[in-house]
Short mmCIF file of all heavy atoms in Angstrom, two decimals:
data_model
loop_
_atom_site.label_atom_id
_atom_site.label_comp_id
_atom_site.label_asym_id
_atom_site.label_seq_id
_atom_site.Cartn_x
_atom_site.Cartn_y
_atom_site.Cartn_z
N MET A 1 0.84 -1.19 0.00
CA MET A 1 0.00 0.00 0.00
C MET A 1 0.88 1.25 0.00
O MET A 1 2.01 1.20 0.48
CB MET A 1 -0.93 0.00 1.22
CG MET A 1 -0.19 -0.15 2.56
SD MET A 1 -1.33 -0.65 3.85
CE MET A 1 -0.94 0.51 5.13
N PRO A 2 0.37 2.34 -0.59
CA PRO A 2 1.19 3.56 -0.68
C PRO A 2 1.53 4.10 0.71
O PRO A 2 0.73 4.02 1.63
CB PRO A 2 0.30 4.55 -1.44
CG PRO A 2 -0.82 3.76 -1.99
CD PRO A 2 -0.95 2.51 -1.19
N CYS A 3 2.71 4.62 0.79
CA CYS A 3 3.15 5.20 2.04
C CYS A 3 2.38 6.50 2.31
O CYS A 3 2.29 7.36 1.45
CB CYS A 3 4.64 5.49 1.95
SG CYS A 3 5.31 6.35 3.37
N ARG A 4 1.84 6.58 3.51
CA ARG A 4 1.06 7.78 3.83
C ARG A 4 1.96 8.97 4.16
O ARG A 4 1.58 10.11 3.94
CB ARG A 4 0.17 7.49 5.06
CG ARG A 4 -1.26 7.16 4.67
CD ARG A 4 -2.13 7.15 5.89
NE ARG A 4 -2.63 5.81 6.18
CZ ARG A 4 -3.14 5.46 7.35
NH1 ARG A 4 -3.17 6.32 8.35
NH2 ARG A 4 -3.59 4.25 7.54
N ASN A 5 3.12 8.67 4.63
CA ASN A 5 4.02 9.75 5.04
C ASN A 5 4.46 10.62 3.86
O ASN A 5 4.65 11.81 3.99
CB ASN A 5 5.24 9.14 5.73
CG ASN A 5 6.09 10.18 6.45
OD1 ASN A 5 5.55 11.03 7.17
ND2 ASN A 5 7.38 10.14 6.25
N CYS A 6 4.61 10.01 2.70
CA CYS A 6 5.11 10.74 1.54
C CYS A 6 4.14 10.68 0.36
O CYS A 6 4.48 11.07 -0.74
CB CYS A 6 6.46 10.17 1.12
SG CYS A 6 6.38 8.45 0.62
N SER A 7 2.95 10.17 0.58
CA SER A 7 1.94 10.03 -0.47
C SER A 7 2.45 9.18 -1.64
O SER A 7 2.08 9.41 -2.78
CB SER A 7 1.48 11.39 -0.98
OG SER A 7 1.06 12.20 0.08
N GLY A 8 3.31 8.24 -1.34
CA GLY A 8 3.78 7.31 -2.36
C GLY A 8 4.90 7.84 -3.23
O GLY A 8 5.30 7.18 -4.19
N THR A 9 5.42 9.01 -2.92
CA THR A 9 6.48 9.57 -3.76
C THR A 9 7.86 9.07 -3.35
O THR A 9 8.80 9.14 -4.13
CB THR A 9 6.48 11.11 -3.68
OG1 THR A 9 6.71 11.49 -2.32
CG2 THR A 9 5.16 11.68 -4.15
N GLY A 10 7.98 8.59 -2.12
CA GLY A 10 9.30 8.16 -1.64
C GLY A 10 10.14 9.31 -1.13
O GLY A 10 11.25 9.11 -0.65
N ILE A 11 9.63 10.51 -1.27
CA ILE A 11 10.37 11.70 -0.83
C ILE A 11 9.49 12.49 0.12
O ILE A 11 8.32 12.73 -0.16
CB ILE A 11 10.78 12.57 -2.03
CG1 ILE A 11 11.78 11.81 -2.90
CG2 ILE A 11 11.34 13.91 -1.57
CD1 ILE A 11 12.30 12.60 -4.07
N SER A 12 10.04 12.84 1.24
CA SER A 12 9.30 13.70 2.15
C SER A 12 10.02 15.03 2.27
O SER A 12 11.25 15.08 2.37
CB SER A 12 9.15 13.04 3.52
OG SER A 12 10.41 12.82 4.11
N ALA A 13 9.27 16.09 2.19
CA ALA A 13 9.86 17.43 2.29
C ALA A 13 9.63 17.97 3.70
O ALA A 13 8.52 17.90 4.22
CB ALA A 13 9.23 18.37 1.26
N VAL A 14 10.69 18.43 4.28
CA VAL A 14 10.55 19.04 5.59
C VAL A 14 10.94 20.52 5.46
O VAL A 14 11.80 20.88 4.66
CB VAL A 14 11.45 18.35 6.65
CG1 VAL A 14 10.96 16.94 6.91
CG2 VAL A 14 12.89 18.34 6.20
N SER A 15 10.27 21.34 6.21
CA SER A 15 10.59 22.77 6.18
C SER A 15 11.28 23.15 7.48
O SER A 15 10.84 22.74 8.56
CB SER A 15 9.33 23.61 5.97
OG SER A 15 8.39 23.34 6.97
N VAL A 16 12.34 23.88 7.35
CA VAL A 16 13.07 24.35 8.53
C VAL A 16 13.25 25.86 8.40
O VAL A 16 13.24 26.41 7.31
CB VAL A 16 14.45 23.66 8.67
CG1 VAL A 16 14.29 22.18 8.92
CG2 VAL A 16 15.31 23.91 7.45
N ILE A 17 13.40 26.49 9.54
CA ILE A 17 13.62 27.93 9.53
C ILE A 17 14.99 28.23 8.94
O ILE A 17 15.98 27.58 9.27
CB ILE A 17 13.50 28.50 10.96
CG1 ILE A 17 12.05 28.44 11.41
CG2 ILE A 17 14.02 29.93 11.02
CD1 ILE A 17 11.85 28.90 12.83
N CYS A 18 15.01 29.18 8.03
CA CYS A 18 16.26 29.55 7.34
C CYS A 18 17.27 30.09 8.34
O CYS A 18 16.98 31.00 9.11
CB CYS A 18 15.94 30.59 6.27
SG CYS A 18 17.40 31.17 5.40
N GLN A 19 18.47 29.51 8.29
CA GLN A 19 19.53 29.96 9.19
C GLN A 19 20.06 31.32 8.77
O GLN A 19 20.47 32.12 9.60
CB GLN A 19 20.69 28.97 9.14
CG GLN A 19 20.31 27.55 9.50
CD GLN A 19 20.53 27.27 10.97
OE1 GLN A 19 21.58 27.60 11.51
NE2 GLN A 19 19.56 26.67 11.62
N ARG A 20 20.03 31.56 7.49
CA ARG A 20 20.62 32.79 6.95
C ARG A 20 19.88 34.02 7.45
O ARG A 20 20.51 35.02 7.80
CB ARG A 20 20.56 32.70 5.42
CG ARG A 20 21.12 33.88 4.68
CD ARG A 20 22.62 33.82 4.59
NE ARG A 20 23.15 34.98 3.89
CZ ARG A 20 23.30 35.06 2.58
NH1 ARG A 20 22.99 34.04 1.82
NH2 ARG A 20 23.78 36.14 2.03
N CYS A 21 18.55 33.96 7.46
CA CYS A 21 17.77 35.15 7.82
C CYS A 21 16.97 34.94 9.10
O CYS A 21 16.17 35.78 9.47
CB CYS A 21 16.83 35.51 6.67
SG CYS A 21 15.61 34.23 6.34
N SER A 22 17.18 33.83 9.75
CA SER A 22 16.49 33.50 10.99
C SER A 22 14.97 33.52 10.83
O SER A 22 14.23 33.87 11.75
CB SER A 22 16.89 34.46 12.12
OG SER A 22 18.29 34.43 12.28
N GLY A 23 14.50 33.16 9.64
CA GLY A 23 13.07 33.03 9.42
C GLY A 23 12.36 34.32 9.05
O GLY A 23 11.14 34.33 8.90
N THR A 24 13.10 35.40 8.89
CA THR A 24 12.45 36.66 8.55
C THR A 24 12.19 36.81 7.06
O THR A 24 11.34 37.58 6.64
CB THR A 24 13.30 37.87 9.01
OG1 THR A 24 14.55 37.83 8.32
CG2 THR A 24 13.56 37.80 10.51
N GLY A 25 12.95 36.07 6.24
CA GLY A 25 12.81 36.18 4.80
C GLY A 25 13.58 37.34 4.21
O GLY A 25 13.57 37.55 3.01
N GLU A 26 14.22 38.10 5.07
CA GLU A 26 15.00 39.24 4.59
C GLU A 26 16.35 39.25 5.29
O GLU A 26 16.47 38.82 6.44
CB GLU A 26 14.29 40.57 4.88
CG GLU A 26 13.01 40.74 4.09
CD GLU A 26 12.32 42.06 4.44
OE1 GLU A 26 12.32 42.41 5.63
OE2 GLU A 26 11.80 42.70 3.53
N ILE A 27 17.33 39.74 4.58
CA ILE A 27 18.65 39.88 5.20
C ILE A 27 19.09 41.33 5.08
O ILE A 27 18.61 42.07 4.23
CB ILE A 27 19.70 38.96 4.53
CG1 ILE A 27 19.72 39.19 3.02
CG2 ILE A 27 19.42 37.49 4.86
CD1 ILE A 27 20.87 38.48 2.33
N ILE A 28 19.96 41.70 5.96
CA ILE A 28 20.53 43.05 5.91
C ILE A 28 21.88 42.98 5.22
O ILE A 28 22.72 42.16 5.59
CB ILE A 28 20.70 43.63 7.33
CG1 ILE A 28 19.33 43.78 7.98
CG2 ILE A 28 21.41 44.98 7.27
CD1 ILE A 28 19.42 44.18 9.46
N ILE A 29 22.03 43.77 4.20
CA ILE A 29 23.33 43.85 3.54
C ILE A 29 23.87 45.27 3.73
O ILE A 29 23.10 46.20 3.99
CB ILE A 29 23.25 43.51 2.04
CG1 ILE A 29 22.29 44.45 1.32
CG2 ILE A 29 22.84 42.05 1.84
CD1 ILE A 29 22.41 44.37 -0.19
N TYR A 30 25.15 45.37 3.62
CA TYR A 30 25.78 46.68 3.81
C TYR A 30 26.41 47.13 2.50
O TYR A 30 27.15 46.38 1.87
CB TYR A 30 26.85 46.59 4.90
CG TYR A 30 26.26 46.32 6.26
CD1 TYR A 30 26.15 45.01 6.72
CD2 TYR A 30 25.78 47.36 7.05
CE1 TYR A 30 25.59 44.75 7.96
CE2 TYR A 30 25.22 47.10 8.30
CZ TYR A 30 25.13 45.80 8.75
OH TYR A 30 24.57 45.54 9.96
N ASP A 31 26.05 48.31 2.11
CA ASP A 31 26.69 48.90 0.94
C ASP A 31 28.16 49.20 1.25
O ASP A 31 28.58 49.17 2.40
CB ASP A 31 25.98 50.21 0.55
CG ASP A 31 24.68 49.94 -0.19
OD1 ASP A 31 24.53 48.82 -0.72
OD2 ASP A 31 23.82 50.83 -0.22
N SER A 32 28.89 49.52 0.20
CA SER A 32 30.32 49.79 0.39
C SER A 32 30.55 50.99 1.30
O SER A 32 31.57 51.10 1.96
CB SER A 32 31.01 50.02 -0.95
OG SER A 32 30.29 50.98 -1.71
N ASP A 33 29.55 51.88 1.38
CA ASP A 33 29.70 53.03 2.27
C ASP A 33 29.13 52.75 3.66
O ASP A 33 29.03 53.64 4.49
CB ASP A 33 29.06 54.27 1.64
CG ASP A 33 27.56 54.11 1.44
OD1 ASP A 33 27.04 53.02 1.75
OD2 ASP A 33 26.91 55.05 0.97
N GLY A 34 28.71 51.49 3.90
CA GLY A 34 28.26 51.12 5.23
C GLY A 34 26.77 51.30 5.47
O GLY A 34 26.29 51.07 6.57
N THR A 35 26.03 51.67 4.44
CA THR A 35 24.59 51.85 4.59
C THR A 35 23.88 50.50 4.66
O THR A 35 24.14 49.61 3.85
CB THR A 35 24.01 52.65 3.40
OG1 THR A 35 24.79 53.82 3.22
CG2 THR A 35 22.56 53.01 3.65
N GLU A 36 23.00 50.35 5.66
CA GLU A 36 22.23 49.11 5.78
C GLU A 36 21.12 49.09 4.73
O GLU A 36 20.44 50.08 4.51
CB GLU A 36 21.57 49.03 7.16
CG GLU A 36 22.50 48.61 8.25
CD GLU A 36 21.75 48.38 9.56
OE1 GLU A 36 20.51 48.32 9.54
OE2 GLU A 36 22.42 48.27 10.59
N ARG A 37 20.94 47.92 4.14
CA ARG A 37 19.83 47.76 3.21
C ARG A 37 19.18 46.40 3.44
O ARG A 37 19.87 45.41 3.67
CB ARG A 37 20.32 47.84 1.76
CG ARG A 37 20.47 49.29 1.29
CD ARG A 37 20.44 49.37 -0.22
NE ARG A 37 21.56 48.65 -0.83
CZ ARG A 37 21.47 47.99 -1.98
NH1 ARG A 37 20.33 47.92 -2.62
NH2 ARG A 37 22.52 47.40 -2.48
N MET A 38 17.86 46.36 3.38
CA MET A 38 17.15 45.10 3.47
C MET A 38 17.06 44.48 2.09
O MET A 38 16.85 45.17 1.10
CB MET A 38 15.72 45.31 4.01
CG MET A 38 15.67 45.87 5.41
SD MET A 38 16.42 44.78 6.63
CE MET A 38 15.10 43.59 6.84
N GLN A 39 17.23 43.18 2.05
CA GLN A 39 17.15 42.49 0.78
C GLN A 39 16.48 41.15 1.02
O GLN A 39 16.66 40.55 2.09
CB GLN A 39 18.56 42.27 0.25
CG GLN A 39 18.64 41.57 -1.09
CD GLN A 39 20.07 41.54 -1.60
OE1 GLN A 39 20.66 42.56 -1.96
NE2 GLN A 39 20.64 40.35 -1.63
N LEU A 40 15.70 40.69 0.06
CA LEU A 40 15.07 39.39 0.21
C LEU A 40 16.14 38.32 0.34
O LEU A 40 17.12 38.32 -0.39
CB LEU A 40 14.19 39.08 -1.01
CG LEU A 40 12.82 39.76 -1.05
CD1 LEU A 40 12.11 39.39 -2.34
CD2 LEU A 40 11.96 39.37 0.14
N CYS A 41 15.95 37.43 1.26
CA CYS A 41 16.92 36.36 1.48
C CYS A 41 16.93 35.43 0.27
O CYS A 41 15.89 34.94 -0.15
CB CYS A 41 16.55 35.58 2.74
SG CYS A 41 17.67 34.22 3.06
N PRO A 42 18.10 35.21 -0.31
CA PRO A 42 18.19 34.35 -1.49
C PRO A 42 18.15 32.87 -1.16
O PRO A 42 18.09 32.03 -2.05
CB PRO A 42 19.54 34.74 -2.09
CG PRO A 42 20.35 35.17 -0.92
CD PRO A 42 19.40 35.78 0.08
N LYS A 43 18.19 32.54 0.13
CA LYS A 43 18.33 31.14 0.53
C LYS A 43 17.00 30.46 0.83
O LYS A 43 16.97 29.27 1.11
CB LYS A 43 19.21 31.05 1.78
CG LYS A 43 20.64 31.49 1.56
CD LYS A 43 21.43 30.37 0.92
CE LYS A 43 22.89 30.76 0.81
NZ LYS A 43 23.64 29.78 0.04
N CYS A 44 15.91 31.23 0.87
CA CYS A 44 14.68 30.63 1.38
C CYS A 44 13.44 31.24 0.73
O CYS A 44 13.53 32.18 -0.05
CB CYS A 44 14.61 30.84 2.88
SG CYS A 44 14.52 32.59 3.33
N GLU A 45 12.31 30.68 1.09
CA GLU A 45 11.03 31.26 0.71
C GLU A 45 10.33 31.70 1.98
O GLU A 45 9.96 30.87 2.81
CB GLU A 45 10.15 30.22 0.00
CG GLU A 45 10.69 29.76 -1.34
CD GLU A 45 9.85 28.62 -1.89
OE1 GLU A 45 8.63 28.62 -1.70
OE2 GLU A 45 10.44 27.71 -2.48
N ASP A 46 10.18 32.98 2.14
CA ASP A 46 9.51 33.53 3.32
C ASP A 46 10.08 33.01 4.62
O ASP A 46 9.36 32.75 5.58
CB ASP A 46 8.00 33.24 3.26
CG ASP A 46 7.32 34.03 2.16
OD1 ASP A 46 7.82 35.11 1.82
OD2 ASP A 46 6.30 33.55 1.63
N GLY A 47 11.38 32.83 4.64
CA GLY A 47 12.04 32.43 5.88
C GLY A 47 12.09 30.94 6.11
O GLY A 47 12.67 30.49 7.09
N MET A 48 11.49 30.16 5.22
CA MET A 48 11.50 28.71 5.39
C MET A 48 12.30 28.08 4.26
O MET A 48 12.20 28.47 3.10
CB MET A 48 10.08 28.14 5.38
CG MET A 48 9.18 28.70 6.47
SD MET A 48 9.82 28.41 8.14
CE MET A 48 9.44 26.68 8.32
N VAL A 49 13.07 27.08 4.62
CA VAL A 49 13.83 26.32 3.63
C VAL A 49 13.21 24.93 3.55
O VAL A 49 12.96 24.30 4.57
CB VAL A 49 15.31 26.20 4.04
CG1 VAL A 49 16.09 25.39 3.02
CG2 VAL A 49 15.93 27.58 4.19
N TYR A 50 12.96 24.48 2.35
CA TYR A 50 12.37 23.16 2.16
C TYR A 50 13.45 22.18 1.75
O TYR A 50 14.17 22.39 0.79
CB TYR A 50 11.25 23.20 1.12
CG TYR A 50 10.11 24.07 1.59
CD1 TYR A 50 10.07 25.42 1.30
CD2 TYR A 50 9.12 23.53 2.40
CE1 TYR A 50 9.05 26.23 1.77
CE2 TYR A 50 8.10 24.32 2.88
CZ TYR A 50 8.07 25.68 2.56
OH TYR A 50 7.07 26.46 3.04
N ILE A 51 13.54 21.13 2.52
CA ILE A 51 14.56 20.13 2.25
C ILE A 51 13.83 18.83 1.87
O ILE A 51 12.97 18.35 2.60
CB ILE A 51 15.42 19.88 3.50
CG1 ILE A 51 16.10 21.18 3.93
CG2 ILE A 51 16.44 18.79 3.23
CD1 ILE A 51 16.79 21.07 5.27
N GLU A 52 14.19 18.32 0.72
CA GLU A 52 13.62 17.04 0.30
C GLU A 52 14.55 15.94 0.72
O GLU A 52 15.76 15.99 0.48
CB GLU A 52 13.40 17.02 -1.22
CG GLU A 52 12.26 17.90 -1.65
CD GLU A 52 11.91 17.69 -3.12
OE1 GLU A 52 12.73 17.09 -3.84
OE2 GLU A 52 10.83 18.11 -3.52
N GLN A 53 13.99 14.95 1.35
CA GLN A 53 14.83 13.84 1.77
C GLN A 53 14.08 12.53 1.56
O GLN A 53 12.85 12.52 1.43
CB GLN A 53 15.21 13.99 3.24
CG GLN A 53 14.02 14.11 4.17
CD GLN A 53 14.44 14.40 5.60
OE1 GLN A 53 15.52 14.86 5.86
NE2 GLN A 53 13.55 14.10 6.53
N THR A 54 14.82 11.48 1.51
CA THR A 54 14.22 10.17 1.35
C THR A 54 13.28 9.90 2.52
O THR A 54 13.63 10.11 3.67
CB THR A 54 15.32 9.10 1.32
OG1 THR A 54 16.22 9.40 0.27
CG2 THR A 54 14.72 7.72 1.09
N CYS A 55 12.09 9.47 2.19
CA CYS A 55 11.10 9.21 3.23
C CYS A 55 11.62 8.13 4.18
O CYS A 55 12.06 7.07 3.75
CB CYS A 55 9.80 8.76 2.58
SG CYS A 55 8.54 8.32 3.78
N SER A 56 11.58 8.46 5.45
CA SER A 56 12.11 7.51 6.43
C SER A 56 11.14 6.38 6.71
O SER A 56 11.54 5.30 7.15
CB SER A 56 12.44 8.24 7.73
OG SER A 56 11.30 8.90 8.24
N ALA A 57 9.88 6.61 6.42
CA ALA A 57 8.87 5.58 6.71
C ALA A 57 8.94 4.42 5.71
O ALA A 57 8.78 3.27 6.08
CB ALA A 57 7.48 6.20 6.70
N CYS A 58 9.20 4.75 4.43
CA CYS A 58 9.20 3.70 3.42
C CYS A 58 10.58 3.53 2.78
O CYS A 58 10.73 2.77 1.84
CB CYS A 58 8.17 4.03 2.34
SG CYS A 58 8.54 5.55 1.44
N LYS A 59 11.58 4.26 3.28
CA LYS A 59 12.94 4.19 2.77
C LYS A 59 13.01 4.55 1.29
O LYS A 59 13.82 4.04 0.53
CB LYS A 59 13.54 2.79 2.97
CG LYS A 59 13.49 2.29 4.40
CD LYS A 59 14.54 2.99 5.27
CE LYS A 59 14.65 2.35 6.64
NZ LYS A 59 13.55 2.72 7.54
N GLY A 60 12.10 5.42 0.84
CA GLY A 60 12.17 5.92 -0.53
C GLY A 60 11.46 5.06 -1.55
O GLY A 60 11.47 5.38 -2.73
N THR A 61 10.84 3.99 -1.11
CA THR A 61 10.17 3.12 -2.08
C THR A 61 8.76 3.60 -2.41
O THR A 61 8.20 3.25 -3.44
CB THR A 61 10.08 1.69 -1.55
OG1 THR A 61 9.29 1.69 -0.36
CG2 THR A 61 11.46 1.12 -1.23
N GLY A 62 8.17 4.39 -1.51
CA GLY A 62 6.80 4.85 -1.73
C GLY A 62 5.75 3.83 -1.34
O GLY A 62 4.55 4.08 -1.47
N GLU A 63 6.22 2.69 -0.91
CA GLU A 63 5.29 1.62 -0.55
C GLU A 63 5.58 1.17 0.88
O GLU A 63 6.72 1.07 1.30
CB GLU A 63 5.47 0.41 -1.47
CG GLU A 63 5.03 0.63 -2.90
CD GLU A 63 3.54 0.38 -3.06
OE1 GLU A 63 2.99 -0.47 -2.33
OE2 GLU A 63 2.92 1.05 -3.91
N ILE A 64 4.52 0.92 1.60
CA ILE A 64 4.67 0.33 2.94
C ILE A 64 4.14 -1.09 2.86
O ILE A 64 3.04 -1.33 2.40
CB ILE A 64 3.85 1.12 3.98
CG1 ILE A 64 4.42 2.53 4.14
CG2 ILE A 64 3.81 0.37 5.30
CD1 ILE A 64 5.56 2.63 5.10
N LEU A 65 4.99 -1.99 3.25
CA LEU A 65 4.54 -3.38 3.24
C LEU A 65 3.61 -3.61 4.44
O LEU A 65 3.95 -3.23 5.56
CB LEU A 65 5.74 -4.33 3.35
CG LEU A 65 6.69 -4.30 2.15
CD1 LEU A 65 7.89 -5.22 2.42
CD2 LEU A 65 5.98 -4.73 0.87
N PRO A 66 2.45 -4.16 4.17
CA PRO A 66 1.56 -4.44 5.31
C PRO A 66 2.22 -5.44 6.25
O PRO A 66 2.90 -6.37 5.81
CB PRO A 66 0.31 -5.02 4.64
CG PRO A 66 0.65 -5.31 3.23
CD PRO A 66 1.91 -4.59 2.89
N LEU A 67 2.02 -5.18 7.52
CA LEU A 67 2.62 -6.06 8.50
C LEU A 67 1.98 -7.44 8.40
O LEU A 67 0.76 -7.58 8.45
CB LEU A 67 2.43 -5.50 9.91
CG LEU A 67 3.24 -4.23 10.25
CD1 LEU A 67 2.86 -3.73 11.63
CD2 LEU A 67 4.73 -4.51 10.16
N SER A 68 2.79 -8.42 8.21
CA SER A 68 2.25 -9.77 8.17
C SER A 68 2.17 -10.31 9.58
O SER A 68 3.15 -10.28 10.31
CB SER A 68 3.14 -10.67 7.31
OG SER A 68 4.48 -10.56 7.72
N SER A 69 1.00 -10.72 9.93
CA SER A 69 0.84 -11.19 11.31
C SER A 69 0.42 -12.64 11.33
O SER A 69 -0.04 -13.16 10.35
CB SER A 69 -0.21 -10.33 12.05
OG SER A 69 -1.40 -10.29 11.32
ZN1 ZN B 101 16.31 33.07 4.53
ZN1 ZN B 102 7.17 7.15 2.33
#
């Protein structure tokens, strides 16, 4: 049967708070003259980073074997 954890894709995406901008979605950069400027963080979407990883429930197969009892 299809894995419920990853909807049968074998990949589960987890979202973590962006380390670069601490979840704000913006970073402060400094111009050469020292002026602070806000800029959209290039590392994330709205402060969250999505990491795709092999589903731990089905080990990437997308299928869960029913427990044989
Ligand atoms: Zn960010
Ligand atoms: Zn899975």
